[in-house]
Amino acid sequence: MAIRWFNLIGFAMLFGALFFNEVVYLNVWYDFNLFTIFPAIIYLAIGLWLSLWGGTSYQEA
């Protein structure tokens, strides 16, 4: 399985999440804004899916 362009985007999203984690944590800790967690979970799920997705399974004849 080769690494494709969308896998690199997923890895970049997960790497960026390391920095966004601090913003979400401080927002939830000090402001107690739990609504911030839902977009963060969706963002992480998309980044994880893109980094692990193997692409389409069609074969050329």
Side-chain angles (χ1 to χ4, degrees), residues 8-61:
L8 295 176
I9 291 174
F11 291 137
M13 286 177 69
L14 292 175
F15 183 72
L18 293 173
F19 300 106
F20 295 142
N21 180 33
E22 192 68 26
V23 173
V24 172
Y25 174 73
L26 290 176
N27 195 5
V28 170
W29 184 260
Y30 290 114
D31 297 335
F32 201 67
N33 186 3
L34 293 178
F35 186 70
T36 311
I37 293 174
F38 297 115
I41 290 172
I42 292 170
Y43 179 84
L44 287 173
I46 291 172
L48 187 64
W49 177 68
L50 283 175
S51 64
L52 296 177
W53 186 40
T56 57
S57 61
Y58 72 94
Q59 295 181 358
E60 296 181 14

